[in-house]
Amino acid sequence: MRFPLPVRAHAGTLAVLVALTAVACLLVAGLPRATQASFDEALRRALTTAPAVQTDLTVASEPVEDLRERAQFESLYRHWQHSVPAALRPLITPDGHMSAKTSRTPVTGTGGGTYINLGWLSDADRRVDWVQGRMPGPTSTTRHEGETIPLIEVGVVDEAVREMGLGVGQIKMLGESDYVAVKIVGIFKAKNPGDRYWSHDLDILHVSKQRPPGGMDEELHLTTLMSDAGLTALSGAARHLTYRWVLPLDGRAASALDVPDLDAAVAELGRLVKVQEVSNNPHRLDTGLPKLLDDFSAALAAAQTVLYLALGGLLTVALGVIVLGVRLLTDRMEHTFALARARGGSLRQVAGAGAAMTALAVAPAALAGYALSFLVPGPVLAVVHVGPAVVVVTAVAFAAVRVSVAHRTPLHERRDDVADARPSVRRVTLEVLVVGLALVGAYLLRARGLSQDPLLLFVPVALTLAAALITLRCYPYPLRLLVRLAARGRAAVPFLGLTRAARARSASGLPVLVLLPALAVSVFATMISNEIASTQVRASWQQVGAPIKVTSVGEIPASVIEKVRATDGVEQVVMAQTGQVQLADAPEYAAAIAVDVAQWRRLIAGTPISVPPLSGGTSALVSPALKGRGAFEIGWLSRPRVTPQGVIDSVPGFWSSGKFLVMPMTVLPRPQANTLLIKGDVSRAELARLVPAATVDSQKRALAAIREDPLTGIVRSTLVVVTVALGLYALVAVVLSLLVGAAERARAVSFLRTLGLSDRQARRLTVLEVLPMVLVTALVGLGLGLGLPIALGPGVDLSAYAGDLQVSGYSPDLVMAGVLAGGLAVAAALGAYAHTALGRHRDLGAVLRVGDQS
């Protein structure tokens, strides 16, 4: 067959097929790259924003055999570097470091109230500046209680000068039996205290205050810095001593695809560290990387579940629309193929010609869409190559099969409008099997969840296919009831239009198989996106507890509070005092907040959060962990006795678990506040200026932080893209379904026009023929889309994208459903009117064959 003439004759149809194929291949190849790029960015952000002590690989040892020299530490560090599995090596940076520290080393004579630990950092010279005195030097000796003991020169952080009264020149005796003396020779400050590096050594940068279990008084803990020479005086036999070799991890090169390998590599390194005999000391691997990877994998799995469902539905619909376009092309070439068969062409030649015509359109278009997908940033996955190939193979294979089935015998005439097609027993059995499997899968999905069986991910696809098959089989039956009612009337148009709509013609199947998943997946994507958005808002309020919250370590002076009240834009200020309180006389503590609950309730009125009412006096709201205790005393500035009035699961902006209670401000002996809850339009910078020592947080900032997460962003943006694309595909499917049956419809209308059918009646007839299929399919698709979130709800946890709040209670988006259904109905009606208008001036002799008008 010569192609130039058919190409010119069917240029419009080929152009539609080219456009559909190019867009489909761009979406199929581009969206996975964009989603994977966001997955990678999410992992990199998780690794680079987490404390280094959590992500780095730290080999630790409580020594039996002491290491006395720096060279011994460096030799072991090189060994651990070489032991890192291959999957982790690209992420390990060369600037590792080592340390040796004692813990809980008491200052002699303090009764365990003060602890000064000895510490050595291999890279201290690069990390600190000495602001007073000098760097520690060699170790010497001194006399104590008639014995010669080591005297170690150390430096302390400048914070210790304020908090513990330490200074240059002081000598402190450490230990209760095995003594050692330290001489403070310098005061240092960190060069970059915000560096992630310091998360390994916060005990060196800060004085910590700890309350021991059952104790009433706080302990002071500090770790000093000493020189390399101080290692000779450290012994694990006399102190609680720990050696550490830190292998820093740079997450900027990580990929989400490598997470399983990274997890396995960390486990392998942990095993090697335990079993390798590099010294007489036992070693272990300390890292929070497995937990971080597991948390990321859980969030990633939920994102992939939603996105794979959406992208799978998009691919299915795109293939269906392309198949509709191929069906239109082969129908337009029906007479050409029939003539070729009548002139002796073999079935292989005719089918090959149809496949070649289709390939001529879809292959270059697929290549163009595939090439355009490389403009989308992201890694090149296998689906980027496979997706466009699937589109081309599906289109060409359908064309070959369609032409082969239609032209098995030369000049085989068919009249699909005369009698209903009766499906074979084999086909009915297969359809019943698909419906049964879909229902069983839906039950298992709700009962077990996706975590138990990933194959259940195909359940929504099976449900969509089952709903489409049921619709195909059942939608003619209610129309036949309408036909019987219309037959009793005098008007012929309703009877004829509904009769043609009720006939199970082969051309009606494809539009249903395209429209139904398009509507179902688009409604599903919209509901998921909307529910995530609303839960994000609720989570942001839950995190802050007010439009703006100002939290100070110490008491906020009354004069400062008045300045805040007088600031432009501030509408309401509620004072609150938070702290740890002792419960009764037992060594048990709980978090507490004293606040005017009535004012707080007025401040958050109309927001997604609420606080139960609380009467005055000494009533309190307690957490579930404190439920059923009756009245009890608390130790907080005084010893008031509070009576639980109710149970509250969480306190917005403060606590959501553990032991806590909410009480009136009048419980305190004097009104004071370390927290301000503010309503109004005022900048965080202005409040930070008014309360310099405080942390200012806002609901808007919390919401922005939740939405800026890469995983959250890609889930919502992909759902929006899929929704828009599916809506457009649904409209294209309606138009193509009109075009596919255009020839048959024009022929029927032409027959009726010879009997006196007017143009107005022809338009009504066409609308009544087309609209029922669209409306029935739209209703089923919308119903399935509204039910998919409910079916998937127990199996998919989306809390990672909503501020760790559970996404549940999916409310039907009737507005979106109405817009989609209405849009398709309008498109079908307008298409029917346009089709009738275009065929109004057609010559009947050009439509009807010789003898049809007799």
Side-chain angles (χ1 to χ4, degrees):
M1 179 181 290
R2 296 179 180 179
F3 290 106
L5 184 58
V7 167
R8 288 196 300 269
H10 305 289
T13 305
L14 290 173
V16 171
L17 196 55
V18 166
L20 292 175
T21 304
V23 172
C25 292
L26 175 59
L27 293 175
V28 168
L31 283 178
R33 294 190 64 178
T35 56
Q36 189 60 46
S38 295
F39 293 160
D40 293 345
E41 176 61 25
L43 176 61
R44 291 163 187 165
R45 180 177 294 190
L47 293 177
T48 54
T49 57
V53 70
Q54 184 178 2
T55 60
D56 293 348
L57 305 175
T58 302
V59 179
S61 174
E62 281 75 33
V64 176
E65 178 182 318
D66 297 328
L67 304 181
R68 301 293 188 177
E69 299 177 356
R70 183 187 186 97
Q72 292 175 294
F73 282 89
E74 292 177 342
S75 175
L76 283 174
Y77 180 81
R78 289 190 294 270
H79 173 79
W80 299 130
Q81 268 189 321
H82 294 146
S83 300
V84 174
L88 278 169
R89 286 178 187 172
L91 304 183
I92 301 299
T93 62
D95 56 339
H97 54 280
M98 303 156 286
S99 67
K101 296 180 189 176
T102 66
S103 61
R104 298 195 67 81
T105 307
V107 176
T108 306
T110 61
T114 304
Y115 296 84
I116 296 180
N117 301 309
L118 301 172
W120 169 77
L121 295 182
S122 61
D123 56 351
D125 55 335
R126 297 190 295 110
R127 300 293 181 177
V128 302
D129 288 324
W130 297 92
V131 294
Q132 292 183 35
R134 60 176 175 82
M135 294 178 57
T139 299
S140 59
T141 59
T142 187
R143 300 286 296 177
H144 178 70
E145 294 183 355
E147 296 182 3
T148 301
I149 61 173
L151 176 64
I152 304 174
E153 292 187 354
V154 299
V156 297
V157 70
D158 57 345
E159 185 178 303
V161 177
R162 303 187 303 270
E163 298 290 337
M164 301 178 65
L166 301 179
V168 175
Q170 290 184 356
I171 297 178
K172 294 289 183 180
M173 198 66 59
L174 307 181
E176 298 294 348
S177 57
D178 196 335
Y179 299 103
V180 64
V182 295
K183 181 178 181 180
I184 301 173
V185 297
I187 309 296
F188 65 83
K189 292 177 64 175
K191 292 184 177 181
N192 182 10
D195 195 328
R196 296 177 65 244
Y197 164 92
W198 285 110
S199 66
H200 289 281
D201 303 298
L202 289 176
D203 56 329
I204 290 179
L205 278 194
H206 300 286
V207 177
S208 66
K209 299 178 181 179
Q210 302 176 13
R211 180 176 290 164
M216 296 295 296
D217 299 325
E218 290 183 333
E219 300 172 348
L220 297 179
H221 292 255
L222 173 68
T223 300
T224 61
L225 274 183
M226 61 185 183
S227 65
D228 293 354
L231 290 173
T232 59
L234 288 183
S235 173
R239 313 278 173 224
H240 297 292
L241 180 61
T242 303
Y243 297 151
R244 291 185 177 87
W245 293 263
V246 179
L247 305 174
L249 185 140
D250 184 3
R252 290 174 295 180
S255 170
L257 296 173
D258 299 332
V259 167
D261 294 336
L262 294 177
D263 213 354
V266 174
E268 175 64 14
L269 179 61
R271 187 189 67 82
L272 292 175
V273 167
K274 284 184 178 180
V275 301
Q276 286 185 355
E277 297 181 0
V278 295
S279 68
N280 292 329
N281 297 327
H283 296 84
R284 68 178 186 274
L285 180 65
D286 291 340
T287 178
L289 186 59
K291 183 181 184 305
L292 191 149
L293 293 177
D294 290 345
D295 292 343
F296 174 79
S297 297
L300 179 63
Q304 288 175 331
T305 299
V306 175
L307 294 182
Y308 287 168
L309 288 175
L311 295 177
L314 178 61
L315 175 60
T316 302
V317 172
L319 289 176
V321 173
I322 291 173
V323 165
L324 268 176
V326 174
R327 170 66 182 269
L328 177 61
L329 176 63
T330 55
D331 283 358
R332 293 288 175 88
M333 299 183 67
E334 179 84 14
H335 296 295
T336 304
F337 294 142
L339 183 60
R341 285 286 280 151
R343 290 179 175 178
S346 67
L347 184 60
R348 178 182 298 179
Q349 289 175 325
V350 173
M357 277 291 291
T358 304
L360 187 65
V362 299
L367 185 61
Y370 172 75
L372 288 174
S373 70
F374 282 85
L375 298 177
V376 179
V380 180
L381 308 175
V383 70
V384 175
H385 309 303
V386 174
V390 169
V391 172
V392 174
V393 170
T394 301
V396 174
F398 178 81
V401 172
R402 166 67 181 161
V403 174
S404 299
V405 172
H407 299 280
R408 290 192 300 270
T409 58
L411 298 179
H412 179 64
E413 295 288 342
R414 295 172 306 279
R415 291 290 302 273
D416 290 339
D417 60 326
V418 172
D420 295 341
R422 292 184 179 275
S424 64
V425 175
R426 182 181 301 175
R427 181 173 178 180
V428 171
T429 303
L430 180 61
E431 292 176 356
V432 171
L433 180 62
V434 169
V435 174
L437 289 176
L439 295 176
V440 172
Y443 170 77
L444 293 176
L445 181 61
R446 290 188 59 84
R448 301 172 59 182
L450 289 171
S451 60
Q452 299 294 325
D453 190 351
L455 290 177
L456 294 177
L457 184 65
F458 295 97
V459 168
V461 177
L463 286 173
T464 304
L465 180 59
L469 293 175
I470 294 173
T471 303
L472 279 174
R473 291 289 168 236
C474 296
Y475 94 89
Y477 296 108
L479 291 182
R480 290 174 184 176
L481 295 177
L482 296 178
V483 169
R484 292 185 179 181
L485 295 177
R488 298 179 182 179
R490 301 180 60 183
V493 170
F495 172 76
L496 292 174
L498 293 175
T499 299
R500 290 180 57 81
R503 294 191 181 277
R505 295 165 296 144
S506 59
S508 64
L510 280 176
V512 172
L513 293 174
V514 173
L515 283 176
L516 197 144
L519 292 171
V521 176
S522 61
V523 172
F524 163 76
T526 302
M527 288 183 63
I528 292 291
S529 180
N530 291 346
E531 194 61 33
I532 289 176
S534 61
T535 307
Q536 287 174 343
V537 174
R538 189 167 71 253
S540 65
W541 283 99
Q542 191 71 30
Q543 289 179 8
V544 181
I548 303 174
K549 182 175 69 174
V550 178
T551 306
S552 176
V553 176
E555 180 181 347
I556 302 176
S559 59
V560 174
I561 296 177
E562 291 305 316
K563 290 181 180 178
V564 172
R565 293 183 190 274
T567 303
D568 292 339
V570 173
E571 301 177 17
Q572 185 180 353
V573 177
V574 176
M575 298 188 303
Q577 175 74 12
T578 62
Q580 289 288 116
V581 301
Q582 183 184 11
L583 303 179
D585 295 326
E588 184 181 9
Y589 297 87
I593 178 173
V595 63
D596 188 329
V597 175
Q599 291 186 14
W600 191 9
R601 285 169 56 84
R602 287 193 293 271
L603 184 139
I604 59 176
T607 68
I609 58 174
S610 62
V611 179
L614 179 65
S615 59
T618 58
S619 300
L621 300 171
V622 299
S623 65
L626 300 178
K627 181 181 178 181
R629 295 195 176 210
F632 55 89
E633 285 188 352
I634 61 172
W636 195 14
L637 301 180
S638 61
R639 299 201 61 87
R641 187 176 183 83
V642 297
T643 304
Q645 176 181 313
V647 178
I648 182 172
D649 294 328
S650 63
V651 182
F654 296 93
W655 313 286
S656 58
S657 62
K659 300 176 182 178
F660 55 84
L661 61 157
V662 181
M663 62 190 70
M665 184 69 81
T666 55
V667 170
L668 299 179
R670 63 183 181 88
Q672 57 180 347
N674 60 8
T675 303
L676 300 179
L677 305 174
I678 302 172
K679 178 181 180 180
D681 185 12
V682 58
S683 69
R684 293 173 56 229
E686 177 64 16
L687 292 174
R689 185 187 65 81
L690 293 174
V691 194
T695 301
V696 182
D697 201 0
S698 70
Q699 179 268 331
K700 293 181 179 178
R701 187 215 60 80
L703 180 60
I706 294 173
R707 290 179 172 173
E708 287 173 0
D709 180 79
L711 280 180
T712 302
I714 193 59
V715 168
R716 293 205 64 200
S717 60
T718 302
L719 290 177
V720 171
V721 171
V722 168
T723 301
V724 174
L726 289 175
L728 295 176
Y729 272 130
L731 292 176
V732 172
V734 170
V735 174
L736 289 180
S737 65
L738 288 170
L739 294 176
V740 166
E744 179 190 344
R745 195 176 301 110
R747 187 167 177 271
V749 170
S750 298
F751 270 119
L752 294 174
R753 284 178 60 191
T754 63
L755 300 176
L757 186 73
S758 65
D759 291 339
R760 182 178 179 183
Q761 289 175 321
R763 288 193 294 269
R764 290 174 56 199
L765 177 65
T766 306
V767 170
L768 286 173
E769 178 185 351
V770 174
L771 202 56
M773 181 272 294
V774 174
L775 291 179
V776 171
T777 306
L779 291 176
V780 176
L782 294 178
L784 181 61
L786 295 175
L788 278 178
I790 300 174
L792 290 175
V796 182
D797 182 12
L798 299 175
S799 59
Y801 320 117
D804 295 328
L805 280 188
Q806 185 63 42
V807 180
S808 59
Y810 299 96
S811 56
D813 191 351
L814 299 180
V815 174
M816 181 64 183
V819 169
L820 286 172
L824 291 178
V826 170
L830 292 178
Y833 270 80
H835 169 69
T836 307
L838 291 174
R840 181 174 54 185
H841 302 293
R842 186 175 298 176
D843 184 11
L844 296 182
V847 178
L848 303 178
R849 293 175 300 180
V850 176
D852 285 340
Q853 302 179 54
S854 57

